[in-house]
Amino acid sequence: MRPFRIEIPQADLDDLRDRLARTRWPDELPDVGWDRGVPLAYLKELAEYWRTEYDWRAAEAKLNQYPQFITEIDGANVHFLHVRSPEPDALPLLVTHGWPGSVAEFLDVIEPLTNPRAFGGRPEDAFHLVIPSIPGYGFSRPLPSTGWDVPRIAGAWAELMDRLGYQRYAAQGGDAGSVISLVLGAMQPERVVGIHVNMLMTFPSGDPAELADLAEDEQSRLGLLAKFNDDLSGYMKVQATRPQTIAYALTDSPVGQLAWIVERFREWTDSAKVPEDAVDRDHMLTIASIYWLTATAGSSAQFYYEGAEGVRQAASGAPPPPIPAPIGVAVFPRDIFQPLRRFAERDYSTIRRWTEFDRGGHFAAMEQPELLVDDVRAFFQPLR
């Protein structure tokens, strides 16, 4: 394990600003809003802010205040934050991001989770945090080979925790981090004491009787799956089928990379008009900057290609592997995926906590960090 600090060369930041200044902008049809993609006026203003006001060095310093390391696992460089709690009996917690996320999405929850005493919490609710970058994402680069699917990543996480000396630990994640955490729990039943997720995908099994008595809110949630497939999953279909092709555009154009990410923040968050209604602008630009400065648009997209078959199997109603560890589910109302509890409990018999919030969306650690922290603490209290 090698200590690591983020130190982006100034030449890379100058190149980013130069490219932003020379953007070749497309035309736009009148009065279409967000219906056909990110509006031109909005993106122009955001890109200019990125070029002239956003401070990467401040974000870099904020990340560098936490211990970071890189280790090679199964041929891949794995970058991770390892933040020990001042409480000696803290529970180790492995936290995994998704796409388009990074370790930076957890900046607002690191200190409340590791040092609850300083945030009005109980010292016995403290965690030692391990927050890795998925291979091919951010500073876990380059992606060395094909085959980095969810089970392989989960296996790498098990090896990482073993190297850190954590024989008993918990897991948490949203988006891809949810799936990785659940698979890790199935792979390591003797070590994973519990799994908390803030995204859970549930699908009908194919039995018509299962759909006969759905309540109105359940029908609405099920309808979101159809909306996602018909209208909101273009990014996924491109990345799951032609990740290399889209990589050229996103790696060469910072505005292209920005639009690709910002659209997700607009569609998946508790935002009224623009993503900044739900997520701090600078925090969102830190996420976009990490993808741009590490040139990992293409390598992160490979995750969708590797996982395409698993998604198809899940959507067909195939049951997931059994998970002995207790599971806690936090449901935020503006997440793009709204799980049906009856389907979730059909698939996961060890669900012990189910929390429905009245605000927040897909990026819970960025949108509603206090709600997420409180739910994580409450779920793991009886499992320590």
Side-chain angles (χ1 to χ4, degrees), residues 105-113 116 118-121 125 127 172 196 198 278 283 330 332 353 355 357-361 363-379:
E105 59 182 281
F106 304 111
L107 283 171
D108 293 337
V109 303
I110 289 174
E111 293 183 27
L113 287 172
F119 291 84
D125 288 334
F127 297 93
Q172 200 284 327
H196 182 280
N198 56 278
H283 204 166
F332 290 86
R353 181 179 176 88
T355 311
F357 292 102
D358 62 359
R359 60 194 183 277
F363 299 94
M366 299 174 72
E367 295 181 67
Q368 298 293 336
E370 292 183 2
L371 294 181
L372 181 64
V373 166
D374 287 346
D375 203 63
V376 169
R377 288 175 181 169
F379 172 66

Side-chain angles (χ1 to χ4, degrees), residues 37 154 245 264:
T245 301
R264 308 288 81 73

Side-chain angles (χ1 to χ4, degrees), residues 292-304:
W292 173 259
L293 294 169
T294 60
T296 49
S299 55
S300 63
Q302 298 291 339
F303 177 86
Y304 284 82

Side-chain angles (χ1 to χ4, degrees), residues 185-186 188-189 192-195 322-328 349-352 379 383:
Q188 299 279 307
V192 177
V193 301
I195 303 156
I323 299 174
I327 298 171
S349 62
T350 57
I351 290 177
R352 297 292 180 264
F379 172 66
L383 305 178

